[in-house]
Amino acid sequence: MREFDLIARIRDRAALRDDVVLGIGDDAALLQPPAQAQLVVTMDTLNAGVHFPPGTAPADIGWKALAVNLSDLAAMGARPAWCTLSLSLPDASADWIDAFLDGFLALAAQHGVALVGGDTTRGPLSVGVTAHGLVAPGRALRRDAAQPGDDVWVTGSLGDAAAALALLDHTPGVSSALRLRLDRPTPRVAAGEALAGVAHACVDVSDGLLADLGHICAASGVGATIAVDDLPASDALRALGGDAEQHRQWQASGGDDYELCFTAAVAQRDAVRAALSPLDLACTRIGSIVDGTGVLARTRDGDRWQPGGAGGYRHF
Ligand code: ADP
Ligand code: MG
């Protein structure tokens, strides 16, 4: 397939929105944001072998490329609106692009996001997405807004994706529930929007809970204490059984969870639960913001707990 056939294939399937004045096909897209909104912009790239294991299905790559970006918008409390897609492909296979779009556009449709442009080049497999969202002025959830005394909360459950990745190579039939969390993460978009105006600081958990909560602490000039044995686990993760320390590692520093970790005043506990109650999504209090710096994790026995390895994924 030639570049323009490939782009035409994408354009034919991309849904539009009323606020897309001009989508795929011109030199740039033309979008009409509402008068009273702030534009929230984020970009994340997925590289083969770094962000997804070799052999990941193209539909899963498509889903995840958008999901990780919508997760960033969720962490800002923004409502997703538009996205662009930069594709670097070793070859232009119609089957690959169709399958990729199946995953990408299924998630876009769930959130009413319009794909409005992009770029297509030949090279090692790499997928870059820019996502644009909207938030009412002053309501965005920032990393620098945590206050001493705040509760620390996390949505959903932690550790599934890390467990799936760890078991992938040597465990036949890794539980499909775990594998789904790795390949098809659910961005917590509705939760982020519901928490805007209720929570103080927020971050999405992509590099591991302790590392990402550490970003909130650094940006806010505070510390945090976490009960590592209170981190929420899915039924699928618990069903694995085995070494408790291994589970702590997956849950506290595994990464790829795409849950939201946020802080809120103690007086807002009921408000937090009320905001999230319509969503069929667990939320768990896992610790507190304190004066000081850094994240201190403790086990049920009161011992200080530290992750093995570098503590959070780092590219360099
Ligand atoms: P230009 O040479 O002016 O940059 P391109 O030929 O790269 O234009 O792209 C033509 C149109 O197709 C543009 O509107 C661009 O946004 C869109 N486009 C290119 N690649 C993609 C892609 N992977 N996904 C969505 N839109 C794309
Ligand atoms: Mg171009």
Side-chain angles (χ1 to χ4, degrees):
M1 237 189 340
R2 293 172 314 144
E3 178 188 340
F4 295 111
D5 298 330
L6 218 144
I7 295 172
R9 232 173 161 88
I10 298 173
R11 187 185 55 212
D12 288 349
R13 292 183 58 185
L16 293 179
R17 294 164 43 114
D18 290 345
D19 53 11
V20 179
V21 183
L22 200 53
I24 295 172
D26 211 308
D27 291 311
L30 206 48
L31 309 171
Q32 183 61 63
Q36 276 308 313
Q38 287 176 337
L39 186 58
V40 186
V41 180
T42 186
M43 153 149 235
D44 258 329
T45 301
L46 299 191
N47 291 330
V50 179
H51 299 96
F52 51 87
T56 302
D60 291 337
I61 298 171
W63 175 284
K64 191 165 181 178
L66 183 59
V68 300
N69 280 279
L70 297 189
S71 179
D72 281 321
L73 293 183
M76 299 301 291
R79 170 169 300 187
W82 315 291
C83 65
T84 56
L85 169 63
S86 171
L87 277 179
S88 164
L89 302 173
D91 48 59
S93 137
D95 288 346
W96 194 93
I97 197 71
D98 288 347
F100 174 89
L101 289 172
D102 287 344
F104 190 96
L105 295 177
L107 183 61
Q110 272 187 20
H111 294 281
V113 174
L115 173 60
V116 298
D119 197 25
T120 306
T121 56
R122 184 191 294 275
L125 179 57
S126 174
V127 183
V129 173
T130 305
H132 305 74
L134 300 165
V135 70
R139 275 174 72 95
L141 297 170
R142 304 163 50 132
R143 293 181 179 187
D144 62 4
Q147 293 174 22
D150 279 0
D151 293 318
V152 178
W153 299 78
V154 69
T155 60
S157 67
L158 298 169
D160 286 358
L165 190 63
L167 300 176
L168 204 60
D169 290 334
H170 46 85
T171 309
V174 172
S175 139
S176 59
L178 295 179
R179 187 72 210 253
L180 261 183
R181 291 291 304 271
L182 177 67
D183 291 335
R184 297 233 169 189
T186 306
R188 301 305 188 188
V189 170
E193 272 193 80
L195 289 167
V198 180
H200 283 157
C202 185
V203 71
D204 70 317
V205 183
S206 53
D207 295 338
L209 174 78
L210 295 189
D212 289 313
L213 178 56
H215 297 321
I216 286 184
C217 289
S220 300
V222 297
T225 59
I226 291 298
V228 71
D229 292 318
D230 288 350
L231 300 181
S234 70
D235 292 341
L237 187 68
R238 268 196 234 102
L240 283 181
D243 180 20
E245 177 57 21
Q246 177 64 81
H247 281 245
R248 288 187 196 112
Q249 293 285 351
W250 285 331
Q251 293 200 269
S253 57
D256 253 2
D257 298 297
Y258 302 102
E259 297 293 353
L260 298 181
C261 174
F262 59 96
T263 83
V266 170
Q268 295 287 73
R269 279 178 193 173
D270 289 343
V272 166
R273 291 205 181 87
L276 298 182
S277 67
L279 299 184
D280 187 31
L281 175 66
C283 63
T284 308
R285 250 184 324 115
I286 58 169
S288 306
I289 297 296
V290 296
D291 288 314
T293 57
V295 181
L296 175 65
R298 286 197 187 285
T299 64
R300 196 168 285 120
D301 302 328
D303 297 332
R304 175 167 195 175
W305 184 86
Q306 277 182 303
Y313 188 85
R314 292 187 187 132
H315 285 274
F316 299 105

